[in-house]
Amino acid sequence: MTAITLELAAEMGLAADEFERVHVLLGRPPNFTELGVFSAMWSEHCSYKSSRRWLKTLPTEAPWVICGPGENAGVVDIGDEQALVFKMESHNHPSYIEPYQGAATGVGGILRDIFTMGARPFASLNCLRFGDPKHPKTQYLLEGVVAGIGGYGNCMGVPTVAGECTFDARYNGNILVNAMTIGVADSNRIFYARARGVDSPVVYVGSKTGRDGIHGATMASTSFDAGSDEKRPTVQVGDPFTEKLLLEACLELMSSDAITGIQDMGAAGLTSSAVEMAAKGEGGIELDLDQVPRREAGMSPYELMLSESQERMLMVLRPGTEAQARRVFDKWELDFAVIGHVTDTGRMVLKNQGNIVADMPIKPLAEGLSYDRPWSDPPTPATLPPLPKVAPMEALCSLIASPDLCSRKWIWEQYDHTVMADTVLGPGGDAAVVRIHGTNKAVAVSTDCTPRYCEADPAKGGAQAVAECWRNLTSVGARPLAITDCLNFGNPEKPTVMGQFVRAIEGMSEACRALNFPVVSGNVSFYNETEESNIPPTPQIGGVGLLDDWRHGTNLALGPQCEQILLIGDGSGHLGQSLYARYLLGKDAGVPPPVDLKFERRNGDLVRRLIKAGFVTACHDISDGGLLVAIAEMCIAGRRGVNLDIDDNPSELFGEDQGRYLISTTSDALNQVLDQSHVADVPVRSIGEVGGHTLTLNSANAISISELINMHGRWFSSYAATG
């Protein structure tokens, strides 16, 4: 028998005072299984012990919000008795250790979060942050992660429609892989993770339990070191074909009245699903581990409870429906086993071979711990030094061809973004648009964050991430509804890192309130550091919006007509933390651009009205790279030229002032656009017109659109070809 010591507890991730608290709660020393259960449930990944206090300050309510944070995913009403179910999750550490399986199981996990609530997934996104492209491991990680996402998502038949991929040396030792999925459900048929009804059967369905992924939640709650590759056994192995069967079986049974509660087995496996369901049902649970389907002989109670084998669900059924449920899962050739029942004891009791092997209180397991970590404000960045002047087209060509801004086509071509035949706008624009099947309604989705802004000023960076997501949804004509987040930070035990988190939350909260854009789900990923080097703070935002009719939206591609290009909004030409400054200085420098949320709201509301009225033929928000880059992206998307009449100073062309849009409009609609802008008190000015096959600046500097397209598409294809 394994001796239960402080050293063993530390190996499982429990601090000395936490280990002592377990003793107090049990009134005795824990056994090996109980210690494992407590360590998993009290890990950072499961308990949110460093972030919970601050997460409670985020706005989470709106008239259209059906379910906010605390369940598997958030739920918002979209009318016609339909609801969107969506969430974003991280799978950072597993993807660094084993990129293919780490990314694949990240996709599988977020898909289960969605259909667990009774929704059919119809779109996925991902946000990828890699290290320096020249780092010897970056290409291997990139190729493995992209293959894993495509391999799992394509087999599931869920289109991957949007996302991000950036490179920064600060992610060399700790990449980020954040996955988001959206599903649609009947608004009156949402399923929750609640175990209710004493003696109701607790049922295990899906794949068998193996030894993969044991203590994955604990691994995700620690920093990396030089020996992190040895943690491969903690990375789960996924099977998308089994998950597809599980999805269909669950949705089929959900069409009956058999299920009263359901929870997927994600982080901490059977442990977390059983504890969370019992806690939300305000009762207890008793499990007979002999009944758990397993694929390996001799598995201990500890292994059965902590395994993170994929494609599994835990259900509570209405008594008397077991045979009905079994028939469904037999039909789909999935395991089905009654492994326990609901109690009213407030405890989790585990039995194995007729003996009680664990007996623990539910409430402290589920509530976990909550720390008020000390924090301090990050240092203020130095003032941006004077920048040398570079010829505008030279700068544009360098930026558009760089890893920061080049086409991500090499990635999205490996994903199926048209399966289901409802994708209206796929990857490469401000937001993807996917039609709600059988209707004219459509959902716009986008993911956004600018880590260099967040590192320089976490509050501004947090607000900007929310605002940019809101702008991207607006740019396709959608009404923004709500966000999910994935908050990726370093070690919260360091006051400066905790300060980054606190300030980012403050900025996010302010922006969400100003834009009426509540947070309905999310995830926190701490300890993203390797050998004391933290990642840049990366509060990733995933937003959804609604188009009442997908035919009345727009995109960034310039059309064939001879149209006016209008700049919506104004700015001072802010170059701090811009990609232009990075290009010239070789590093990020200066303070990030200010975020005026009243300005954001006013300008965005106008843009949506103009799009809805049919006055806008193309629209693009101005973000990374500034105005000239945004114009170039519109030219590339539409394969059309533009003649610009605008000051050629760097601040005007490459400043990253927020809250601005570029639109194209016909001559017939121009006066109406100007009139509405005047009424809304929004600055608007004409800066050029569509025409020809070159991007021309002030009739002097010109570059062909074909050359822009070639430069924009060159880097990724060349980089991938060297592998």
Side-chain angles (χ1 to χ4, degrees):
M1 183 176 291
T2 304
I4 307 302
T5 63
L6 182 60
E7 290 72 26
L8 178 63
E11 288 177 13
M12 291 188 181
L14 286 173
D17 59 328
E18 295 170 345
F19 183 49
E20 178 60 30
R21 186 171 175 181
V22 173
H23 281 71
V24 172
L25 287 168
L26 294 178
R28 55 175 172 78
N31 62 36
F32 188 71
T33 300
E34 292 168 335
L35 185 64
V37 168
F38 270 102
S39 69
M41 292 305 300
W42 286 3
S43 68
E44 191 74 59
H45 189 78
C46 290
S47 75
Y48 293 79
K49 56 189 176 185
S50 299
S51 59
R52 188 181 308 168
R53 173 190 171 187
W54 301 103
L55 295 176
K56 291 179 179 178
T57 65
L58 290 167
T60 60
E61 297 180 347
W64 50 89
V65 174
I66 296 174
C67 177
E71 279 288 340
N72 287 289
V75 186
V76 296
D77 194 321
I78 57 170
D80 304 312
E81 299 183 338
Q82 291 180 309
L84 296 179
V85 180
F86 60 100
K87 189 184 181 184
M88 189 187 304
E89 274 273 9
S90 63
H91 231 222
N92 303 333
H93 286 30
S95 299
Y96 183 81
I97 295 169
E98 184 57 61
Y100 184 96
Q101 289 295 347
T105 52
V107 173
I110 196 65
L111 284 166
R112 287 195 302 280
D113 280 340
I114 301 310
F115 70 79
T116 297
M117 299 194 71
R120 179 172 289 280
F122 66 83
S124 289
L125 305 84
N126 54 77
C127 313
L128 312 177
R129 310 282 178 183
F130 295 102
D132 187 334
K134 297 177 182 177
H135 189 276
K137 202 169 181 177
T138 296
Q139 191 170 5
Y140 159 75
L141 292 168
L142 169 70
E143 292 175 351
V145 165
V146 170
I149 293 170
Y152 206 103
N154 294 351
C155 292
M156 285 293 296
V158 178
T160 301
V161 297
E164 293 182 276
C165 177
T166 62
F167 300 88
D168 189 304
R170 296 284 301 279
Y171 299 104
N172 280 349
N174 198 124
I175 65 172
L176 301 185
V177 177
N178 298 171
M180 177 179 172
T181 294
I182 309 98
V184 63
D186 293 339
S187 56
N188 61 350
R189 297 283 297 172
I190 306 298
F191 289 80
Y192 298 98
R194 298 169 187 167
R196 290 178 174 170
V198 174
D199 293 328
S200 293
V202 176
V203 175
Y204 172 120
V205 299
S207 292
K208 289 180 170 62
T209 295
R211 288 189 169 96
D212 53 319
I214 293 174
H215 262 299
T218 305
M219 181 269 291
S221 305
T222 57
S223 302
F224 278 163
D225 55 34
S228 292
D229 282 354
E230 299 173 3
K231 297 178 180 179
R232 277 188 168 83
T234 63
V235 179
Q236 313 91 330
V237 178
D239 179 358
F241 299 104
T242 299
E243 178 126 330
K244 175 64 173 174
L245 298 177
L246 183 62
L247 182 156
E248 298 299 342
C250 287
L251 293 182
E252 180 176 334
L253 189 60
M254 286 169 168
S255 66
S256 71
D257 64 349
I259 300 173
T260 62
I262 182 170
Q263 174 75 20
D264 81 296
M265 297 189 209
L270 183 55
T271 287
S272 62
S273 57
V275 169
E276 290 170 7
M277 290 185 75
K280 290 175 182 176
E282 299 181 341
I285 195 166
E286 183 175 307
L287 303 179
D288 181 359
L289 300 184
D290 293 332
Q291 306 306 314
V292 174
R294 64 198 74 187
R295 62 173 183 259
E296 300 181 49
M299 292 187 69
S300 68
Y302 170 90
E303 292 172 322
L304 291 167
M305 292 302 297
L306 275 299
S307 167
E308 294 184 7
S309 294
Q310 298 292 283
E311 295 88 38
R312 303 180 299 160
M313 291 281 186
L314 196 66
M315 296 178 174
V316 176
L317 299 181
R318 200 177 306 280
T321 63
E322 296 95 322
Q324 172 192 354
R326 184 182 295 276
R327 284 194 296 271
V328 171
F329 285 90
D330 284 349
K331 167 188 166 182
W332 292 98
E333 299 182 342
L334 296 167
D335 276 287
F336 176 99
V338 178
I339 66 169
H341 61 273
V342 179
T343 70
D344 60 0
T345 64
R347 303 186 72 81
M348 181 163 76
V349 177
L350 308 178
K351 293 183 176 180
N352 189 60
Q353 299 179 357
N355 300 313
I356 294 177
V357 294
D359 186 350
M360 299 162 287
I362 288 286
K363 188 174 180 181
L365 277 172
E367 291 181 348
L369 308 170
S370 184
Y371 292 141
D372 186 6
R373 302 273 192 200
W375 60 276
S376 60
D377 279 315
T380 302
T383 303
L384 182 71
L387 298 174
K389 197 164 181 178
V390 178
M393 289 307 180
E394 178 187 334
L396 173 65
C397 291
S398 295
L399 288 170
I400 208 75
S402 70
D404 291 298
L405 292 172
C406 70
S407 170
R408 271 60 176 153
K409 188 177 180 180
W410 178 86
I411 294 177
W412 77 61
E413 282 187 334
Q414 298 182 59
Y415 307 150
D416 190 338
H417 55 269
T418 62
V419 65
M420 294 183 166
D422 284 318
T423 304
V424 177
L425 291 177
D430 291 304
V433 177
V434 184
R435 184 172 64 102
I436 300 294
H437 193 74
T439 76
N440 286 327
K441 292 187 299 188
V443 177
V445 291
S446 180
T447 62
D448 297 281
C449 182
T450 311
R452 64 185 186 276
Y453 292 177
C454 297
E455 186 163 41
D457 188 322
K460 286 182 182 177
Q464 189 274 340
V466 172
E468 185 174 352
C469 187
W470 191 86
R471 283 201 305 275
N472 282 331
L473 300 176
T474 292
S475 294
V476 298
R479 174 171 60 90
L481 292 176
I483 68 170
T484 183
D485 58 51
C486 195
L487 308 177
N488 307 274
F489 289 79
N491 186 345
E493 297 168 48
K494 297 178 177 178
T496 54
V497 172
M498 198 64 211
Q500 291 174 337
F501 181 82
V502 171
R503 294 304 190 195
I505 289 285
E506 289 178 351
M508 289 169 56
S509 296
E510 183 184 7
C512 288
R513 289 190 172 89
L515 302 174
N516 204 14
F517 202 29
V519 182
V520 297
S521 61
N523 174 66
V524 177
S525 177
F526 276 134
Y527 296 98
N528 289 290
E529 69 168 19
T530 299
E531 298 181 346
E532 301 299 310
S533 178
N534 292 293
I535 65 162
T538 312
Q540 197 70 50
I541 304 299
V544 302
L546 182 68
L547 288 97
D548 296 326
D549 191 326
W550 65 268
R551 296 166 296 185
H552 297 163
T554 190
N555 61 67
L556 61 79
L558 297 173
Q561 303 91 341
C562 192
E563 299 164 333
Q564 293 288 310
I565 299 288
L566 303 180
L567 172 62
I568 306 286
D570 210 349
S572 60
H574 192 96
L575 289 173
Q577 294 297 323
S578 67
L579 290 183
Y580 181 82
R582 173 185 283 187
Y583 157 67
L584 287 176
L585 299 175
K587 61 180 181 179
D588 299 328
V591 298
V595 181
D596 187 324
L597 295 167
K598 291 182 179 179
F599 187 70
E600 288 278 3
R601 182 71 180 265
R602 183 185 64 192
N603 294 1
D605 288 350
L606 170 67
V607 169
R608 282 196 308 281
R609 288 196 298 271
L610 295 174
I611 293 172
K612 189 174 183 179
F615 299 150
V616 176
T617 54
C619 181
H620 189 24
D621 86 306
I622 299 174
S623 54
D624 285 346
L627 186 151
L628 193 58
V629 166
I631 285 283
E633 290 169 339
M634 297 177 79
C635 292
I636 290 168
R639 297 179 177 267
R640 292 282 287 159
V642 167
N643 298 299
L644 285 177
D645 183 10
I646 190 171
D647 289 344
D648 64 356
N649 63 78
S651 59
E652 177 83 357
L653 296 177
F654 301 105
E656 296 181 7
D657 302 80
Q658 300 294 292
R660 299 184 299 159
Y661 303 78
L662 291 167
I663 67 168
S664 63
T665 188
T666 63
S667 299
D668 292 342
L670 178 61
N671 288 334
Q672 292 163 299
V673 170
L674 296 175
D675 288 344
Q676 289 205 23
S677 303
H678 178 73
V679 171
D681 194 27
V682 173
V684 176
R685 58 188 170 111
S686 177
I687 61 170
E689 62 181 27
V690 179
H693 302 287
T694 63
L695 173 56
T696 303
L697 180 60
N698 300 328
S699 305
N701 300 292
I703 183 169
S704 73
I705 302 306
S706 60
E707 182 59 20
L708 273 178
I709 291 171
N710 289 335
M711 288 188 292
H712 189 233
R714 190 178 300 153
W715 187 86
F716 245 112
S717 56
S718 299
Y719 186 67
T722 62

